[in-house]
Amino acid sequence: MKARVSLLLVIAVVMASFGFASAQDAPSGDLEIFSWWTGGGEEAGLNALIARFKELYPEVNVINAAVAGGSGVNARAVLTSRMLGGNPPDTFQVHAGEELNALWVAAGLMEPLNDIYEANGWLDQFPEGLLDLITDDEGNIYVVPVNIHRSNVMWYVPAKLEEWGVTVPATWDEFVNVTCPALQAKDVTPLSVGENWTQAHLWESVALGVLGVDGYNGLWNGSTSWTSPEAVAVWDTYGKVLDCANDDMNALSWQDASRRVADGEAAFNIMGDWAAGYFLVDLALEPGTGFAWAASPGTDGAFMMLSDTFGLPKGVANPGAVRAWLSFLGTAEAQDIFNPLKGSLPANTTAQIDNSELYNAYFQDAYSDWTSNAIVGSQAHGLVAPPAFSNGFAAIIAGFQGDHDSATASANTAVLALQTGMVQ
Amino acid sequence: MIGQSRRDRLIAFFMLLPSLILLGIFVYGFIGSTLATSLTDSSAMQRLVGTPANNVGLKNYNDLFTGLLDSRFRTDVVNTVFFTAMFIGVCLAIGMLLAILLDQKIRGEAVFRTIFLFPMALSFVVTGVVWKWLFNPDAGINVLPTVVGLPKGTFRWFISEDQWLQFNWQDLPVIVVYVVLAIVLIWALLRWSRTRGTAPALVAAGTILVSLYLTLGNASALRFPNYEVKGFNVALIAIVVAAGWQMVGYTMAMYLAGLRGISEELREAARVDGCTEFGVYRYVVFPLLAPITLSAMIILGHISLKIFDLVYVMGGGDNLYIDMPGLNMFFETFRGQQFGRGAAIAMVMLIMVAVVIIPYLVSSLRSQEKNA
């Protein structure tokens, strides 16, 4: 009996080392990369990554399986059905955090990638706050982050603010009570907001501003009750902020909303830092003069982040090629190829962030915040809440836009958090 | 001879068998599987791990109609009812009008027919994008009057937040019961006035008793638990215009075919009998078009009950003023990854479509039997 067990062990070890050895050989075959990067800088970044990867591994045949539309909703629908059908893509894009953990990791469908991290020394190269987010309780890491985005950024045009005689508000109270009336008196929209998801995006900035870092994190780990006076105050403030916004928000995409600031119709816009790319490339504005930025009111010293990552599903046909791809993605070289095009920060700290040809003034500024601020996760982009919560939250945000009823909204969110198993 | 017909039947049966099997699996089998899923708490997680889903009975349905968090679904149901009624009404009225105008033997009829039919060749997604631009309150057709010096339009179209005909959702079951009772009562009274039979009289008396019983205090037992104001969202008008623009041509084509099927002799006969031109339509043409109206209503009705793409494109998905059950189902299933709840919404939609389609099927089967 004992002999048989040890024999099995030996076989297992041999097979494992054999598998490891074959992963070290030059990878070949097909590699299907699944993402929702189908336009603009995102697509350009992905294509540049693939081009460089092909130079490194000419034997691998890369298949770019990007699904367009719905800011990833459509892609996630396709991904879910492929995973359920037992036909996972070789590697897929996923937001770091709960979007990954609540489903794919919890269901045991992802391979741990700790060996890749150790082999490349990434445990020292990636920031600790980020590693905490993507490491599970047993110390396993399942994905390689390609980029970092900041969610809590307020955009404005400095010359316009001077013309209207307002300054960047330091808190939401100041915005609602001082900045907003001053701008409305001049017939300027104080804040431009777009369709539903941009409202959820605004909400998380308001929540972070009102609750502070610990209070905001508490919403997701259970230490801040959704029905507490503080949480209701978030909705109250959010309602007042919405009163200062344009009344055609449901008709605007995020680009439309950001553009109103550039056009001088609105004073401020809260949007993730992909807006920097929009101002720079699409609208050809100079950072610092044509457009400027600040942390959204009350969130100075906090960096609300989201990150696109890639992982290795279990049971794919060609894990060697996927490991090669992931090992490439995390390097400073790959991150310096991708992020300047996509308009995001590199996750790897050895990237050439000081190179102003690659990273513009916004990103150099954001990077110093990234390395010094408290890091919190974004709700609107799947970091801190499971998909079922985000879906219900979209309906609550949409309902609140109609009735501005803080009590109902906070009660509903509390029920939703319970039902989706976010809070025990 | 008899052997021949039995062989024919056998051949017919085997010819039909493949499509019967496919239908059985891919339509009725999947309806059954959706129904089964809707009675569980199935989710992506449960499917991926491979554990069996818990049977929760009618909980998903109960949540949809009474749950605190499913206000969105109830808004969807109200929106669908209003949208369907308006969409069918607009398509039938304008489609009929266009058909009658085209039937006046005008010059270039083929050109006009093509023009009116053309929108149907587009997909709803294209229609949605175009009308989203047109209905943009600050840039679209609202600006049109300024071209001739008139003030800018102020209607907010698909982002309007106004609500007409507001009612409390709690009262809906009571309202529905009263409406049903009223219909039964009217039917029974009509029947009784014609036949003086005892059965209609008993039915009428019964309905009066039931409504008295409800009115005298027990109606509140039927009410839903949560206070919610629902109503006709004015923003739906924009969707009706866009969807109507696309489907009016189709209705027109159906009516035109119907009009062409009415022989000139019938109209002539009516005119000889001293009928006015309006009378010809009122007493001859419209009654003969009734079957076409019914078919058009069925086709338009199931389009409007299942509408997804147009609203998704125009509203971006989460605009509750124009939200529809189809969108909610998609989001519950694929964004929320709660398959049980998504399946329950799908079943409710199926029931709504069935309410429209089954009477049509029954009546067409009956008329076939009569003709046979």
Side-chain angles (χ1 to χ4, degrees), chain B residues 274-294:
Chain B
C275 210
T276 60
E277 202 52 32
F278 177 75
V280 172
Y281 279 103
R282 168 76 183 76
Y283 295 106
V284 179
V285 174
F286 288 162
L288 286 171
L289 287 179
I292 290 179
T293 306
L294 188 64

Side-chain angles (χ1 to χ4, degrees), chain A residues 370-388:
Chain A
W370 165 242
T371 44
S372 59
N373 283 358
I375 308 285
V376 296
S378 150
Q379 183 277 323
H381 303 280
L383 250 94
V384 286

Side-chain angles (χ1 to χ4, degrees), chain A residues 278-317:
Chain A
Y278 179 69
F279 286 126
L280 260 167
V281 180
D282 296 52
L283 304 182
L285 298 173
E286 279 296 311
T289 51
F291 73 101
W293 57 89
S296 58
T299 67
D300 211 18
F303 189 106
M304 188 164 347
M305 63 138 326
L306 55 135
S307 171
D308 291 303
T309 66
F310 283 85
L312 170 58
K314 280 186 179 158
V316 297

Side-chain angles (χ1 to χ4, degrees), chain A residues 399 402-403, chain B residues 71-72 74-76 78-79 82 155-157 159-169 227-237 319-323:
Chain A
D403 59 17
Chain B
S71 169
R72 175 173 188 168
R74 302 188 279 273
T75 307
D76 296 345
V78 176
N79 280 351
F82 281 114
F155 189 60
R156 320 270 317 146
W157 297 108
I159 56 164
S160 167
E161 296 179 9
D162 295 338
Q163 216 171 40
W164 296 340
L165 300 174
Q166 286 187 331
F167 65 93
N168 181 356
W169 170 264
Y227 172 78
E228 271 168 47
V229 176
K230 305 283 180 210
F232 167 62
N233 289 315
V234 179
L236 285 173
I237 292 174
N319 181 346
L320 291 197
Y321 298 99
I322 53 174
D323 202 42

Side-chain angles (χ1 to χ4, degrees), chain A residues 218-293:
Chain A
L219 290 176
W220 319 110
N221 64 27
S223 63
T224 309
S225 159
W226 280 97
T227 48
S228 63
E230 297 81 27
V232 178
V234 171
W235 287 101
D236 284 338
T237 310
Y238 174 64
K240 288 179 201 153
V241 171
L242 279 191
D243 288 337
C244 293
N246 47 313
D247 59 359
D248 57 352
M249 48 186 84
N250 284 334
L252 303 187
S253 67
W254 72 264
Q255 290 99 331
D256 298 335
S258 297
R259 192 186 183 110
R260 292 220 170 153
V261 172
D263 289 351
E265 290 171 44
F268 297 102
N269 174 230
I270 305 276
M271 192 29 66
D273 56 13
W274 42 92
Y278 179 69
F279 286 126
L280 260 167
V281 180
D282 296 52
L283 304 182
L285 298 173
E286 279 296 311
T289 51
F291 73 101
W293 57 89

Side-chain angles (χ1 to χ4, degrees), chain B residues 208-340:
Chain B
I208 293 171
L209 276 179
V210 172
S211 17
L212 272 179
Y213 172 74
L214 286 177
T215 317
L216 292 177
N218 276 35
S220 60
L222 290 171
R223 299 175 74 190
F224 284 136
N226 305 319
Y227 172 78
E228 271 168 47
V229 176
K230 305 283 180 210
F232 167 62
N233 289 315
V234 179
L236 285 173
I237 292 174
I239 310 291
V240 170
V241 172
W245 175 79
Q246 177 141 28
M247 296 310 293
V248 154
Y250 175 70
T251 326
M252 176 210 72
M254 287 180 81
Y255 275 129
L256 201 56
L259 285 170
R260 293 289 147 81
I262 298 170
S263 68
E264 195 56 31
E265 285 85 23
L266 277 175
R267 300 190 195 201
E268 282 303 321
R271 288 191 193 113
V272 168
D273 283 347
C275 210
T276 60
E277 202 52 32
F278 177 75
V280 172
Y281 279 103
R282 168 76 183 76
Y283 295 106
V284 179
V285 174
F286 288 162
L288 286 171
L289 287 179
I292 290 179
T293 306
L294 188 64
S295 314
M297 277 175 74
I298 302 301
I299 290 163
L300 296 171
H302 93 271
I303 288 176
S304 78
L305 288 172
K306 295 191 302 191
I307 197 156
F308 174 89
D309 29 18
L310 180 70
V311 185
Y312 190 71
V313 170
M314 280 183 81
D318 287 300
N319 181 346
L320 291 197
Y321 298 99
I322 53 174
D323 202 42
M324 294 288 161
L327 291 169
N328 198 354
M329 175 183 77
F330 173 71
F331 285 138
E332 281 293 345
T333 312
F334 291 111
R335 192 168 66 181
Q337 299 178 324
Q338 291 168 309
F339 300 151

Side-chain angles (χ1 to χ4, degrees), chain A residues 333-384:
Chain A
E333 182 198 1
Q335 306 232 329
D336 283 339
I337 292 175
F338 180 76
N339 287 304
L341 288 168
K342 154 97 169 143
S344 46
L345 290 172
N348 189 325
T349 51
T350 59
Q352 306 172 41
I353 190 71
D354 296 328
N355 185 341
S356 60
E357 292 194 356
L358 293 179
Y359 297 97
N360 61 54
Y362 168 75
F363 285 105
Q364 302 201 350
D365 182 49
Y367 194 79
S368 74
D369 284 350
W370 165 242
T371 44
S372 59
N373 283 358
I375 308 285
V376 296
S378 150
Q379 183 277 323
H381 303 280
L383 250 94
V384 286

Side-chain angles (χ1 to χ4, degrees), chain A residues 74 77 80 84 102-104 106-107 109 195-196 247-248 250-251 387-388 391 394 398-399 401-402 412 416 419, chain B residues 45 47-49 68-69 72 132 138 156 158-159 161 312 316 318-321 330-332 334-339:
Chain A
N74 301 349
T80 307
L84 284 172
L103 191 63
W104 310 119
L109 295 172
E195 59 189 324
N196 183 278
D247 59 359
D248 57 352
N250 284 334
N391 183 53
Q401 194 213 333
N412 283 357
L416 180 67
Q419 274 188 7
Chain B
M45 184 67 185
R47 296 268 169 128
L48 288 169
V49 179
L68 193 64
L69 290 179
R72 175 173 188 168
K132 185 176 182 174
D138 299 312
R156 320 270 317 146
F158 68 100
I159 56 164
E161 296 179 9
Y312 190 71
D318 287 300
N319 181 346
L320 291 197
Y321 298 99
F330 173 71
F331 285 138
E332 281 293 345
F334 291 111
R335 192 168 66 181
Q337 299 178 324
Q338 291 168 309
F339 300 151

